[in-house]
Amino acid sequence: MKVVLAGATGTLGGELVPRLLAAGHSVLGLTRSPAKARLLEDAGVETRVVDVMDERRLLDALRGHRADAVIHQATAITGTPLRHRDLHATDDLREQGTANLLRAAELVGAYRFVTQSFFLGYGYRDHGEAELTEDHPFAPAGRGAFERHLRSMRANERLAFGTPGVDGIALRYGLFYGPEPGTRRLMAMASKRMLPAPRPSGVTSPIHIADAAAATVAALDRGRAGQAYNVVDDTPVTFADFVAAVAEAAGAPAPITVPSWLLRPAPYMYALMAGTRIRLSNEKAKRELDWRPEYPSCRDGLRHVRPASA
């Protein structure tokens, strides 16, 4: 297929481009960074520098192009989000950005649309011990500042599934980690014993970025229209165990343990690391996309991540 990839130079986009090319697809990459665009072009990838939040410029950049699919991987997360406002630009990309990219899909004649969704769309709360499937209610109304995040995820999937003329597919990715800046920052913090393990701890469902990219290519080819897929590894973990695995991969001492209430001044981080327990099933993705994570647990995956100084 000819694929328009929004967020082509981001955490996942950078892993996705070579996998799309290796699968025989051609890529037109969209990025906001001129410097990163030059790197893509040096690798032989056609690129346009454009902000997907600017509908007019986006459509102008794609006018005259034809494509079979659009993949939405654009985010605005530059570090670990601590406060709710750290997510607001990404919330906007999930709402207005998705709407703009669907108009772009119509312009270029694309019949497939794959969008980045997120495991926390199931809700920032304690979901108990059961593994949630895609049939579980997604993006219920949230309380206070959480509603903006949930509304954006609700809108993202509703737009992808409800726009006539495209087969919309949503990938509900777990917590990203891998050989990328965010994980390496955590490893650097662990080396300085600045990455504590909260107790009691929330439970999360991670995914290595290489496995997330592989699932995305599989969904482009085999995903069913109007369907969402949980893209997570096989092993949900507590945040305390995730932090311990990061420290081990960094060759750092075991992290110190702190009471989780100390995270309350960073409300979003507190909800993520202490207030939410969420275990997701990946059986649907395995079954329908013919996909398996190369790294069944974050401990497996983190062993292959080298610290920034290595």
Side-chain angles (χ1 to χ4, degrees):
M1 302 181 193
K2 176 66 177 288
V3 179
V4 174
L5 174 58
T9 59
T11 294
L12 187 52
E15 181 75 26
L16 187 53
V17 168
R19 289 177 178 268
L20 287 168
L21 297 175
H25 305 299
S26 59
V27 176
L28 172 56
L30 306 181
T31 178
R32 292 179 299 176
S33 168
K36 291 181 178 180
R38 286 192 290 273
L39 293 176
L40 276 182
E41 289 168 350
D42 289 344
V45 177
E46 188 177 6
T47 310
R48 295 291 179 272
V49 178
V50 66
D51 185 347
V52 301
M53 291 296 293
D54 189 329
E55 180 187 357
R56 181 182 64 81
R57 290 182 181 276
L58 173 65
L59 297 182
D60 286 347
L62 294 176
R63 209 172 302 281
H65 289 274
R66 305 299 293 174
D68 304 294
V70 173
I71 299 178
H72 182 0
Q73 297 290 356
T75 68
I77 299 174
T78 57
T80 302
L82 302 177
R83 301 152 300 185
H84 288 287
R85 65 176 178 267
D86 297 336
L87 271 295
H88 288 172
T90 292
D91 292 337
D92 293 341
L93 280 163
R94 288 174 174 149
E95 293 189 76
Q96 190 58 50
T98 301
N100 292 348
L101 284 167
L102 281 160
R103 294 187 186 99
E106 180 182 13
L107 176 71
V108 301
Y111 59 90
R112 300 280 275 178
F113 189 88
V114 179
T115 192
Q116 179 182 130
S117 192
F118 193 45
F119 76 110
L120 285 172
Y122 288 104
Y124 296 79
R125 61 183 178 84
D126 186 348
H127 292 271
E129 298 297 322
E131 287 194 343
L132 305 186
T133 71
E134 292 81 356
D135 293 328
H136 193 82
F138 188 78
R143 295 180 179 178
F146 291 100
E147 170 56 16
R148 178 163 180 177
H149 313 317
L150 291 164
R151 184 191 72 201
S152 72
M153 290 183 266
R154 194 182 309 133
N156 175 35
E157 294 200 5
R158 184 183 68 246
L159 287 164
F161 298 155
T163 300
V166 295
D167 295 341
I169 298 157
L171 301 180
R172 296 171 181 170
Y173 298 109
L175 182 73
F176 286 148
Y177 75 93
E180 49 85 34
T183 303
R184 290 198 167 109
R185 280 193 293 270
L186 293 179
M187 295 173 83
M189 291 172 65
S191 297
K192 299 174 184 176
R193 303 212 78 189
M194 295 173 60
L195 186 66
R199 301 283 187 186
S201 176
V203 175
T204 191
S205 293
I207 188 68
H208 192 287
I209 58 170
D211 286 328
T216 306
V217 176
L220 181 66
D221 293 333
R222 293 184 284 275
R224 287 193 293 133
Q227 296 297 306
Y229 297 91
N230 293 337
V231 179
V232 296
D233 68 23
D234 297 335
T235 316
V237 294
T238 67
F239 257 99
D241 286 343
F242 180 76
V243 167
V246 169
E248 181 182 337
I256 62 172
T257 299
V258 299
S260 58
W261 59 262
L262 287 176
L263 297 174
R264 287 188 183 276
Y268 184 84
M269 184 57 66
Y270 174 79
L272 176 65
M273 296 184 69
T276 299
R277 297 170 70 230
I278 185 165
R279 296 171 168 85
L280 295 190
S281 167
N282 60 14
E283 288 303 313
K284 181 179 177 182
K286 288 179 175 179
R287 182 176 66 252
E288 296 193 9
L289 304 183
D290 190 23
W291 165 83
R292 296 287 186 280
E294 180 181 357
Y295 303 109
S297 78
C298 65
R299 285 195 177 273
D300 297 323
L302 283 164
R303 291 190 188 103
H304 296 271
V305 180
R306 302 275 69 81
S309 59

